[in-house]
Amino acid sequence: MNQSSPSDDDHIALIHTLYSQLKLYPQPSQYTILSALYLTSSTSSECKIISLGTGTKCLPKCRLPIRGEAVHDSHAEVVARRGAIRWILEETIRERVQGSGWIERHADKYRFRKGIQIRMYVSTVPCGDASTRFLAASQDPKMAFLKDSAVMAHIEGTTARGRDNYHLFNVLRTKPGRADSPPTLSLSCSDKIASWSWLGIQGAFGAKLFEGGTYIQKIIIGEVLPSRNVDLIKIVKDDCERALGGRLEGLLPTNQGPYSLQKPVIAFTPVPFIHSRLTLPTPPQTLLSSSSFFPDSDHFRNSPSNGTVQVLINGYKRGVSPKHRQKMQNSKFM
């Protein structure tokens, strides 16, 4: 089944409502990508949005800071995952103090309660291996041919740059960009999500607190269904299932340590995102390079102030001077 369920679409509508409340929009005639991670429960139809991010930029290799104080990759999916890690770590603290309806202690570690699922929403197909044929279908044929004619010949065992060599599948790709832009070292979102399908989203610190991996069970993607091209929709579904986890089958051990391949279910939603490439943007309130929002309330609709809003400009938090970039802003996890 390609289309998302009615309950998924209701959850995505809530994500869009939350995004609209923040009033952090791109410039006119420009688009952005929205991603969110949220929790669902088998005993309730409601969802808990734990993070939301927008962004389409990443730092080129020549601008990476020596001390690592900047966020290298500000694509929406990566920013949303960073926010989800923060929420998970903070939820372990809340569980100790007041209990949690989402996670529980098990022995000396934590785990999500039975029936809780992590789901991800992305307003378009993730960049990289999952999206090459989807993008080629919407491009001018001459441009698609140019991108598919090895501008830089691909050497087996190395990463491909951006969208070069459309015909190559199952290769690692760096973040896309204009052909004349400086190259980056950031892997595509398809590659990063595939790694989360094996290792989980919790990160190295979260792995010390949680037993096993914390996996995304379902990914709902926008912009595909409006094409109304049945053949293209099937192609993109196959590409996403392969690129976001399926390509790892048979390549990794199945019984080594606490991790195993957990392929996410892929579905497409017809719910339009207001600032996608397919929708005319509204006048901006604040110009963003990337932003994220980490709710901490079960009823986020009361006010966006129930969470933490952060805005990144060129990889740095807005409003923080260079001399303070090395300082820990939150002492909870020191």
Side-chain angles (χ1 to χ4, degrees):
M1 182 177 178
N2 292 327
Q3 187 163 337
S4 54
S5 68
S7 61
D8 286 329
D9 293 342
D10 289 343
H11 298 159
I12 291 164
L14 291 177
I15 291 169
H16 289 178
T17 298
L18 176 57
Y19 169 79
S20 298
Q21 289 177 359
L22 298 177
K23 293 183 171 56
L24 300 171
Y25 300 149
Q27 288 183 328
S29 77
Q30 292 189 3
Y31 70 90
T32 191
I33 294 172
L34 173 66
S35 182
L37 280 101
Y38 63 97
L39 307 179
T40 63
S41 172
S42 60
T43 61
S44 171
S45 61
E46 294 191 11
C47 71
K48 167 71 173 176
I49 303 171
I50 62 175
S51 69
L52 180 153
T54 64
T56 59
K57 307 294 185 183
C58 63
L59 294 180
K61 176 183 176 181
C62 61
R63 295 182 60 185
L64 296 181
I66 296 176
R67 297 182 179 181
E69 66 270 26
V71 176
H72 297 182
D73 186 342
S74 292
H75 277 219
E77 299 94 319
V78 177
V79 173
R81 182 250 183 173
R82 290 172 64 90
I85 292 175
R86 172 169 175 161
W87 182 89
I88 289 171
L89 295 178
E90 290 185 344
E91 190 68 5
T92 62
I93 297 175
R94 288 189 284 268
E95 197 283 333
R96 290 183 180 183
V97 175
Q98 62 190 31
S100 168
W102 304 100
I103 66 172
E104 62 184 2
R105 297 193 72 170
H106 180 69
D108 59 343
K109 291 193 175 184
Y110 296 86
R111 65 185 180 187
F112 277 90
R113 293 183 179 276
K114 185 177 180 180
I116 302 299
Q117 282 195 354
I118 302 176
R119 297 187 179 183
M120 184 179 211
Y121 163 69
V122 190
S123 61
T124 191
V125 183
C127 68
D129 202 38
S131 65
T132 53
R133 290 199 285 182
F134 177 61
L135 293 172
S138 61
Q139 277 190 330
D140 177 87
K142 291 183 179 179
M143 178 58 69
F145 176 78
L146 176 64
K147 295 298 291 183
D148 196 30
S149 60
V151 175
M152 182 177 293
H154 179 69
I155 302 173
E156 187 174 355
T158 65
T159 57
R161 182 177 178 187
R163 302 186 182 104
D164 285 347
N165 302 292
Y166 269 156
H167 67 282
L168 294 178
F169 298 148
N170 298 333
V171 298
L172 296 176
R173 294 180 178 274
T174 57
K175 283 288 196 285
R178 292 191 333 224
D180 59 347
S181 64
T184 79
L185 296 180
S186 295
L187 287 177
S188 71
C189 290
S190 291
D191 296 331
K192 292 190 174 183
I193 293 173
S195 72
W196 304 341
S197 296
W198 170 251
L199 297 172
I201 65 167
Q202 72 285 332
F205 186 41
K208 297 181 181 296
L209 298 175
F210 278 72
E211 57 176 21
T214 301
Y215 296 100
I216 299 170
Q217 278 81 23
K218 189 173 187 179
I219 300 178
I220 300 99
I221 300 170
E223 288 193 352
V224 179
L225 290 182
S227 72
R228 300 182 183 278
N229 184 328
V230 176
D231 292 335
L232 177 61
I233 293 171
K234 184 181 184 305
I235 287 173
V236 179
K237 177 78 176 297
D238 292 342
D239 284 348
C240 288
E241 289 179 341
R242 169 184 50 78
L244 305 182
R247 56 179 157 155
L248 300 182
E249 282 188 301
L251 299 179
L252 298 169
T254 58
N255 58 352
Q256 185 170 340
Y259 305 104
S260 62
L261 179 61
Q262 305 285 333
K263 296 185 296 182
V265 174
I266 305 298
F268 301 129
T269 178
V271 180
F273 173 49
I274 188 174
H275 292 128
S276 76
R277 288 173 296 185
L278 306 181
T279 308
L280 290 177
T282 57
Q285 301 295 323
T286 303
L287 172 63
L288 287 184
S289 169
S290 149
S291 69
S292 54
F293 176 63
F294 322 131
D296 59 12
S297 169
D298 285 329
H299 304 286
F300 74 86
R301 283 161 289 188
N302 292 340
S303 169
S305 64
N306 287 334
T308 300
V309 179
Q310 293 184 355
V311 176
L312 302 177
I313 304 295
N314 294 326
Y316 293 100
K317 184 177 178 181
R318 184 173 66 179
V320 178
S321 64
K323 70 178 182 178
H324 293 304
R325 285 173 179 167
Q326 294 291 325
K327 293 184 178 180
M328 177 69 74
Q329 298 297 314
N330 192 327
S331 61
K332 290 181 179 178
F333 307 113
M334 291 182 66

